[in-house]
Amino acid sequence: MRIVILFGLILSISFMSCEKVIDVSLKDSEKLYVIEGILTDREGDCVVSISKTKNFDDDNIFEGLGDAVVSVTDDEGNTTALPEATTGVYRSATLTATTGKAYMLEVNINGQTFSASCIMPVKVKMDSLYVKEEGFFGETIKLANVQYEDPVVKGNNYRFIQYVNGIKEKNIFIRDDDYSDGNTSTITLFTAPDEDEDEIKSGDKVRVDMQCIAPALYKYWYSLDQGASGGSNSASPANPVTNIEGGALGYFSVHTVESKTVVVP
Amino acid sequence: MNKLLLVILAMLTCMQGYSQEKFTISGTVRVQKTGETIIGASIKAGDAGTFSNDYGFYSISLPAGKYTFEVSAVGMLIHTRSIELGNDMTLNIALEEEPKTLDNITITATSKNRSLSSPQMGIERLSTKEIRNIPVLLGERDVLKTVQLLPGIKAAGEGNSGFFVRGGAADQNLILLDEATVYNASHLLGFFSTFNSDAIKDVTVYKGGMPAQYGGRLSSVLDIKMNDGNNQDYNVSGGIGLISAKLNVEGPIQKDRSSFLITGRRTYADMFLKLSNDSALKNNTLYFYDLNAKLNYNIGDKDRLYLSGYFGKDVLAAGQTFGLDWGNATGTLRWNHIFSNKLFSNTSFIFSNYNYNISIRNGANEFDIFSQIRDLNLKQEFQWYINNKNNIRFGLNSVHHTIRPGEVRPSSGQSSINLSLLQKRYSWENALYFTNTWKATDKINLTYGLRLTSFSILGEGDFYNIDNEGSVTDTLSYTKGAFIKTYINPEPRVAASYQLNETSSVKASYVRNVQNLHLISNSTTASPTDKWVASTNIIKPEVSDLFAVGYYKNLWDNNYELTFETYYKTMQNQIDYRDGANVFINSDAIETQLLFGKGRAYGIELQFKKKAGKLTGWLSYTLSKTEKRINGINNNKWYNARQDRTHDLALVASYQISKKWTISANWIYYTGNAVTFPAGKYHVNDQTYFYYTDRNGYRMPSYHRLDLGATWVLKQRKRFSSELSFSLYNAYGRENAYTISFRESEDNPGKTEAVQLALFKYIPSVSYNFKF
């Protein structure tokens, strides 16, 4: 539901609004651990990154935190240790996830323990990826579309990541089957022309990763997008609903991945 | 019920001991030129005094004798006559409008007197005459924006017609148009209200101490009465402004007996959009319109019928791909009957509807979303002017609500969206009330009353039990017509006044209000897609208790008035959202997205008003605090509500330079709203996000603004008059923060920055109004 954004656009079109950078003095606060854990059905994707929060006025270089003990255990009790690959980044080159199985992430750092668990969802195939022109407030813009067949059982959740000429787009594209269960579904990866992203042009290479994600992760991405992106649409910004226990920010997602690439005609 | 009986008994006991024979004068007060009835005209005879009711009716009882009988109202010449009372009399009074000359401007000062003796407090009454000179955004005169300049009433945001009263949320205001509830009183995302000031006779705001005939919302009542229509002569008036054009036609159907009124308004900014070369503007639609209509008919001397209606709609579309329209429709049929010179009755049948429709036509995702709330409402009220010491009002109110929370319909065969209809919700709201205004002594007046309300949730439908995490644990299914749950709440209403001397008084009041319809909204600005939900087994009725004390003083021959009120309000069963709540969830169990808690608000309000002379206006100041405590938010600790503002100041002035020119200005200052800013930032998903600790721990920058206005009377003849109004909104171009957002710096991606969005800077406007 991007109605609010549309309202915003209409407002800025209708009235002479003006934007400026201001100084806001924000209090420093306690630093929290940030854990980003990913496990997929593809070898080499399993990676856990650990960092900390910073003050608003600090720079955006988030250094990884080393010396953590990281492991993933499946519901049959098989534990895989994730050694540190580069500072703060812990990897397993071989670990993959199987549909229906639960995986538990455990992170020990400086005497603190964080854990999270996630069940690998059913894989849904990406049937096609194509770029189509859409009218938007009178302009014509090129947008990527993904088509897939949603399974008849309710509870499928998807996330799409778009790369244009190898550059990852910032928008979070998620979709559930709340209103479209069991249907041939198309999602338009909608990027408004005034957003920071470059518009898609003829000749561009568009790649889309389609992930089948767990319901808890749908909620995470939804609430991250609504509440933590710094925008002003939400009445009450808040931290996203995480599946990590122990007081860290971030998430642990076990999901399927499928990529397709098209060259824009 | 026992309590009610006790109070009735107590009331009856104060009616004893009037043995001297008395006679009653009753009648209706009108404007001579138009035949419009006058609300709240002051009627005095001897030491007895009263005010005309909502239909212009009054009744006053006195012992036989000679009296000077005096009737006065705002903007009207005082009517005085000597009467010799020896039997009951009917006196229908027609007041002449005060001529618009400078010499006699002070004439009405006495009738502008705020009633020192009446126990009613927290009340503000505005006539459309009073608001006509106040400068407004884009020249659209707007009662809701004028109301926001009064103490204790705060604007919901820049240029917004939503308002907060004494710490209450925007959905806690009962907004009535000819007794019908208006569920969404705003046009164009809140920038304009649904009330076309040309059609309006009287606006009364109760920010506390609301009389027992009103109920259903926690914080305030905004009671708007439409004009009845001129029953003497045909009249056409209209106006052309920057964004809209208006036309008002009224006249008699049968002179003195019946009249009609039709008022329409439409914005035409979209027509200019069409002319634009910019295709981004050209293919979009954005307009609204309002239509008010009223008929009234006198059947003999004792009966009068009124039929009034309102219809308004907003239409917004982005090319072919997105459309949104929404609007209210209300209808009221009323029957006044005068049973006797002491007993007045009104019966109303009321219909009220609000709905919106979103249409999305995006490739394979073609669908419509529809939502609606609809009321059928019956009110019966009696006003019984027992004697000069007791004036009773009692009645009943029965409303049936039907809510269609959300219906998603695919609009083509290939749409990937399924048909999904959320269950309709039915409820039945009933109220019995009575209230007596008792003149206990010459100095002490008391109003006491009780409103007994019941709210029944009716089947059919599924209701739920929910655990602490917001998951459904149990589904309870009910059949059609089943009474699922009934909430009964007695709402006591008590107020007292003590007149200290000729020019000053103190008052105190206590009022309880209960609200069973709640607005679910998750965005910063009021949105037409905000959802009304009724109380359920989990969503409990909201309850507020308001205590207030006030001091009132008239100064310098009643030309000035000083008002001071202080209040403390508690609110129970307040609603907030869980983190990550999705109010568009495709589930009948909206409760899974909600959290509940309580609120408190307190403050002081000061107003200093100059009511007569070339220069009129007021200064109002509010110092207040509003907090909430919701289980699951801010570690269950008290936090500032979003509408919490420490200081709120408004200075409103209008000066009549000559017969032709009036200039006006207002200046507004308030502390920024409480807001949540980041406590820090972090890196996930290859970008920077923000994290939060305290809810509403920061404040927006202070807001201030100066508006200027001028009215130039071009022609002032008996058959034709016209004027030009100029206004300049935000005259010194203050960039007030509408929103503040946070992002990676565009110039320096290694840093983050705060970005302020300001909406309006110097908005000039001109409009032309005429009347013939």
Side-chain angles (χ1 to χ4, degrees):
Chain A
M1 289 295 161
R2 313 205 100 167
I3 291 164
V4 178
I5 294 172
L6 285 164
F7 284 166
L9 278 170
I10 288 166
L11 284 181
S12 50
I13 290 167
S14 311
F15 303 103
M16 279 174 288
S17 56
C18 72
E19 214 181 63
K20 70 174 182 194
V21 175
I22 55 163
D23 271 330
V24 177
S25 75
L26 297 171
K27 288 167 265 187
D28 293 351
S29 60
E30 189 202 349
K31 304 290 174 289
L32 299 182
Y33 286 104
V34 180
I35 298 169
E36 190 171 19
I38 295 165
L39 173 63
T40 76
D41 55 351
R42 232 167 32 186
E43 277 193 5
D45 278 355
C46 177
V47 58
V48 174
S49 313
I50 304 173
S51 59
K52 272 197 154 183
T53 61
K54 293 181 98 171
N55 289 330
F56 184 83
D57 293 327
D58 296 343
D59 62 32
N60 289 343
I61 299 158
F62 295 87
E63 277 133 20
L65 295 174
D67 298 328
V69 179
V70 180
S71 66
V72 172
T73 306
D74 67 19
D75 52 9
E76 287 162 7
N78 306 309
T79 301
T80 308
L82 271 60
E84 191 169 349
T86 54
T87 313
V89 180
Y90 304 79
R91 283 183 187 279
S92 162
T94 53
L95 185 64
T96 55
T98 314
T99 292
K101 269 182 140 179
Y103 295 86
M104 174 137 122
L105 170 72
E106 196 169 294
V107 172
N108 282 288
I109 185 162
N110 287 333
Q112 288 194 62
T113 304
F114 304 99
S115 66
S117 70
C118 187
I119 296 171
M120 176 70 162
V122 173
K123 183 157 191 160
V124 176
K125 254 182 79 237
M126 171 156 47
D127 290 334
S128 64
L129 165 68
Y130 55 92
V131 174
K132 209 179 128 192
E133 289 192 335
E134 296 273 355
F136 177 74
F137 283 92
E139 285 179 49
T140 307
I141 50 175
K142 290 187 160 74
L143 296 173
N145 291 269
V146 177
Q147 195 178 326
Y148 58 94
E149 210 61 50
D150 183 74
V152 175
V153 183
K154 235 185 179 180
N156 298 92
N157 295 276
Y158 309 93
R159 176 169 177 229
F160 305 87
I161 303 167
Q162 176 174 283
Y163 300 82
V164 179
N165 299 325
I167 297 163
K168 182 176 172 183
E169 197 190 315
K170 285 181 178 172
N171 274 340
I172 293 172
F173 299 109
I174 47 168
R175 178 99 178 242
D176 61 12
D177 61 358
D178 208 10
Y179 287 99
S180 54
D181 184 38
N183 292 343
T184 303
S185 301
T186 306
I187 178 170
T188 303
L189 304 183
F190 177 82
T191 308
D194 74 321
E195 290 182 46
D196 307 340
E197 313 293 334
D198 288 332
E199 284 173 48
I200 299 174
K201 300 176 297 291
S202 284
D204 283 349
K205 238 188 211 171
V206 175
R207 183 185 118 200
V208 172
D209 291 353
M210 171 168 165
Q211 304 175 348
C212 299
I213 58 175
L217 268 296
Y218 179 86
K219 195 152 196 176
Y220 177 81
W221 294 113
Y222 178 82
S223 53
L224 182 79
D225 197 29
Q226 291 274 310
S229 59
S232 54
N233 294 324
S234 170
S236 45
N239 297 325
V241 184
T242 179
N243 60 346
I244 296 180
E245 286 171 32
L249 294 164
Y251 64 94
F252 174 50
S253 180
V254 183
H255 55 252
T256 69
V257 190
E258 185 180 356
S259 297
K260 276 197 188 329
T261 305
V262 289
V263 176
V264 180
Chain B
M1 278 313 275
N2 283 339
K3 266 189 199 162
L4 182 71
L5 285 174
L6 269 178
V7 184
I8 290 173
L9 278 175
M11 182 187 77
L12 290 171
T13 51
C14 33
M15 287 159 43
Q16 64 199 344
Y18 298 103
S19 50
Q20 193 181 5
E21 194 182 4
K22 294 204 175 174
F23 299 101
T24 302
I25 314 167
S26 64
T28 304
V29 185
R30 292 169 191 279
V31 179
Q32 190 179 47
K33 204 172 127 197
T34 62
E36 286 279 343
T37 55
I38 300 175
I39 301 171
S42 157
I43 295 107
K44 281 182 190 156
D47 358 318
T50 188
F51 294 96
S52 60
N53 74 5
D54 292 345
Y55 306 94
F57 179 80
Y58 73 93
S59 170
I60 196 165
S61 296
L62 294 159
K66 280 187 177 171
Y67 296 97
T68 306
F69 184 79
E70 190 183 285
V71 182
S72 56
V74 177
M76 298 289 152
L77 293 175
I78 296 174
H79 173 99
T80 314
R81 66 161 78 177
S82 300
I83 51 167
E84 198 163 338
L85 194 61
N87 44 9
D88 288 347
M89 293 171 79
T90 303
L91 276 181
N92 291 323
I93 307 293
L95 295 183
E96 268 182 75
E97 276 186 75
E98 172 188 291
K100 273 191 190 163
T101 57
L102 285 176
D103 317 332
N104 49 19
I105 246 167
T106 52
I107 265 177
T108 56
T110 45
S111 63
K112 283 180 180 169
N113 218 337
R114 180 185 286 263
S115 173
L116 291 174
S117 57
S118 159
Q120 180 64 51
M121 53 190 300
I123 186 174
E124 302 286 349
R125 179 165 264 155
L126 293 168
S127 72
T128 37
K129 275 188 188 130
E130 286 172 279
I131 69 169
R132 59 185 298 128
N133 289 324
I134 294 173
V136 283
L137 179 63
L138 291 162
E140 283 292 309
R141 281 171 195 154
D142 198 321
V143 291
L144 291 193
K145 288 191 194 145
T146 308
V147 157
Q148 295 167 4
L149 299 169
L150 299 168
I153 303 178
K154 303 178 179 194
E158 173 85 81
N160 201 301
S161 60
F163 58 97
F164 305 125
V165 180
R166 291 184 170 171
D171 70 323
Q172 294 174 350
N173 305 315
L174 178 67
I175 300 177
L176 300 173
L177 179 65
D178 270 359
E179 296 189 62
T181 307
V182 177
Y183 281 98
N184 183 342
S186 65
H187 281 305
L188 258 179
L189 316 171
F191 289 107
F192 305 98
S193 85
T194 51
F195 305 111
N196 177 350
S197 60
D198 285 4
I200 288 161
K201 178 188 323 209
D202 181 88
V203 178
T204 309
V205 194
Y206 299 90
K207 37 185 195 176
M210 36 293 269
Q213 67 264 31
Y214 298 108
R217 296 290 183 280
L218 285 199
S219 289
S220 79
V221 178
L222 184 68
D223 191 1
I224 298 173
K225 299 278 194 314
M226 273 165 58
N227 279 324
D228 296 331
N230 193 329
N231 68 10
Q232 299 296 312
D233 207 355
Y234 292 97
N235 238 323
V236 179
S237 62
I240 297 167
L242 261 198
I243 66 150
S244 79
K246 299 187 276 195
L247 193 68
N248 178 65
V249 182
E250 58 185 314
I253 300 171
Q254 261 181 305
K255 198 173 171 185
D256 291 325
R257 285 179 73 89
S258 53
S259 62
F260 73 93
L261 167 102
I262 299 171
T263 305
R265 167 172 72 158
R266 191 195 188 280
T267 60
Y268 47 66
D270 56 313
M271 297 175 183
F272 294 124
L273 290 183
K274 294 249 179 320
L275 300 175
S276 161
N277 289 324
D278 185 343
S279 63
L281 295 176
K282 203 156 77 178
N283 294 320
N284 300 306
T285 314
L286 182 67
Y287 67 86
F288 68 79
Y289 61 86
D290 289 311
L291 196 65
N292 294 72
K294 194 158 176 174
L295 285 173
N296 81 88
Y297 185 64
N298 284 323
I299 317 162
D301 294 337
K302 297 204 180 304
D303 296 276
R304 192 168 189 196
L305 280 176
Y306 302 77
L307 180 66
S308 53
Y310 165 80
F311 185 77
K313 198 168 183 182
D314 278 65
V315 178
L316 186 159
Q320 302 296 316
T321 47
F322 174 82
L324 169 62
D325 56 73
W326 71 95
N328 297 279
T330 69
T332 312
L333 175 65
R334 281 182 290 189
W335 170 41
N336 287 175
H337 179 68
I338 299 168
F339 278 98
S340 76
N341 52 19
K342 288 186 171 186
L343 186 63
F344 180 91
S345 150
N346 177 57
T347 312
S348 305
F349 297 96
I350 305 154
F351 165 84
S352 178
N353 181 78
Y354 174 72
N355 63 263
Y356 69 78
N357 189 69
I358 302 170
S359 67
I360 291 175
R361 301 285 179 275
N362 163 19
N365 302 318
E366 299 195 338
F367 61 100
D368 291 284
I369 307 171
F370 176 80
S371 178
Q372 181 187 53
I373 178 164
R374 174 173 287 191
D375 289 356
L376 289 174
N377 186 343
L378 168 72
K379 280 186 193 171
Q380 172 59 49
E381 182 175 271
F382 295 97
Q383 286 176 53
W384 184 17
Y385 300 84
I386 299 181
N387 52 44
N388 283 341
K389 299 221 185 281
N390 291 279
N391 180 354
I392 292 185
R393 246 183 141 134
F394 58 99
L396 59 87
N397 186 198
S398 182
V399 198
H400 185 269
H401 305 282
T402 306
I403 298 176
R404 294 161 73 177
E407 299 178 1
V408 175
R409 290 186 174 81
S411 55
S412 72
Q414 309 94 3
S415 177
S416 64
I417 304 298
N418 295 325
L419 177 72
S420 152
L421 309 176
L422 293 185
Q423 290 178 358
K424 289 184 189 176
R425 294 297 194 201
Y426 305 98
S427 50
W428 188 27
E429 194 168 12
N430 285 292
L432 269 177
Y433 64 87
F434 96 97
T435 181
N436 183 28
T437 303
W438 174 38
K439 196 168 184 214
T441 73
D442 279 351
K443 288 180 183 273
I444 299 172
N445 283 278
L446 273 171
T447 298
Y448 50 89
L450 183 76
R451 184 179 175 89
L452 186 71
T453 54
S454 74
F455 189 86
S456 303
I457 303 152
L458 305 178
E460 61 185 310
D462 294 335
F463 288 79
Y464 305 91
N465 285 325
I466 282 169
D467 64 15
N468 286 337
E469 273 68 53
S471 307
V472 173
T473 56
D474 207 359
T475 301
L476 315 156
S477 293
Y478 295 90
T479 53
K480 195 171 176 162
F483 279 70
I484 293 159
K485 176 130 189 127
T486 297
Y487 291 103
I488 295 178
N489 279 291
E491 303 172 33
R493 314 280 172 94
V494 191
S497 68
Y498 179 77
Q499 191 144 4
L500 298 167
N501 53 43
E502 278 288 285
T503 61
S504 63
S505 68
V506 288
K507 302 183 189 183
S509 68
Y510 161 71
V511 44
R512 167 170 278 209
N513 272 294
V514 174
Q515 178 164 352
N516 278 295
L517 291 172
H518 323 273
L519 190 67
I520 305 294
S521 152
N522 204 17
S523 57
T524 33
T525 42
S527 151
T529 57
D530 293 346
K531 257 182 194 177
W532 284 98
V533 299
S535 295
T536 66
N537 53 327
I538 293 166
I539 303 172
K540 298 281 187 308
E542 297 176 62
V543 177
S544 74
D545 291 283
L546 174 72
F547 303 86
V549 180
Y551 171 77
Y552 310 83
K553 172 96 182 153
N554 289 331
L555 297 152
W556 297 295
D557 224 11
N558 290 338
N559 283 338
Y560 295 81
E561 166 189 290
L562 181 71
T563 308
F564 171 86
E565 289 191 9
T566 176
Y567 65 92
Y568 185 84
K569 176 154 84 179
T570 60
M571 292 168 274
Q572 300 167 45
N573 304 326
Q574 298 298 286
I575 300 171
D576 214 313
Y577 313 97
R578 282 180 188 277
D579 287 346
N582 179 2
V583 294
F584 285 105
I585 188 171
N586 185 16
S587 159
D588 295 311
I590 185 79
E591 296 95 332
T592 56
Q593 309 296 311
L594 306 177
L595 293 169
F596 304 96
K598 54 188 180 178
R600 63 185 179 201
Y602 45 92
I604 56 173
E605 299 164 2
L606 263 169
Q607 189 183 31
F608 183 67
K609 193 169 183 179
K610 183 172 187 300
K611 300 182 292 180
K614 287 183 179 181
L615 176 73
T616 54
W618 67 84
L619 171 72
S620 68
Y621 171 71
T622 310
L623 174 70
S624 64
K625 182 91 193 152
T626 306
E627 292 168 298
K628 279 173 130 180
R629 194 167 94 174
I630 308 278
N631 284 330
I633 296 179
N634 205 42
N635 299 319
N636 305 343
K637 287 182 296 197
W638 284 99
Y639 62 92
N640 293 330
R642 196 164 68 85
Q643 64 266 36
D644 178 56
R645 282 177 204 154
T646 314
H647 306 283
D648 213 313
L649 189 92
L651 182 61
V652 179
S654 136
Y655 184 77
Q656 187 157 10
I657 301 174
S658 67
K659 280 186 186 178
K660 288 209 171 293
W661 282 93
T662 306
I663 53 167
S664 58
N666 50 44
W667 186 71
I668 291 142
Y669 172 92
Y670 58 77
T671 313
N673 283 348
V675 66
T676 307
F677 284 161
K681 59 185 175 184
Y682 59 103
H683 190 77
V684 290
N685 187 32
D686 303 315
Q687 53 183 301
T688 305
Y689 288 93
F690 301 96
Y691 94 95
Y692 301 89
T693 49
D694 301 331
R695 173 72 69 103
N696 291 348
Y698 288 87
R699 291 220 170 259
M700 296 291 278
S702 324
Y703 180 104
H704 54 91
R705 189 187 85 220
L706 175 73
D707 304 331
L708 300 172
T711 307
W712 179 22
V713 177
L714 300 171
K715 278 210 170 70
Q716 179 83 31
R717 303 248 169 80
K718 198 161 181 168
R719 294 305 308 175
F720 182 80
S721 59
S722 62
E723 62 180 36
L724 270 176
S725 296
F726 306 90
S727 75
L728 179 59
Y729 183 88
N730 199 1
Y732 55 79
R734 157 88 176 171
E735 288 179 11
N736 285 303
Y738 185 64
T739 58
I740 290 178
S741 51
F742 301 88
R743 65 180 187 203
E744 279 181 9
S745 168
E746 275 173 7
D747 309 329
N748 179 5
K751 299 290 276 182
T752 37
E753 63 188 15
V755 181
Q756 166 189 300
L757 177 74
L759 280 191
F760 304 110
K761 223 176 144 179
Y762 322 110
I763 304 281
S765 68
V766 59
S767 57
Y768 172 77
N769 295 296
F770 64 89
K771 189 172 185 170
F772 60 81

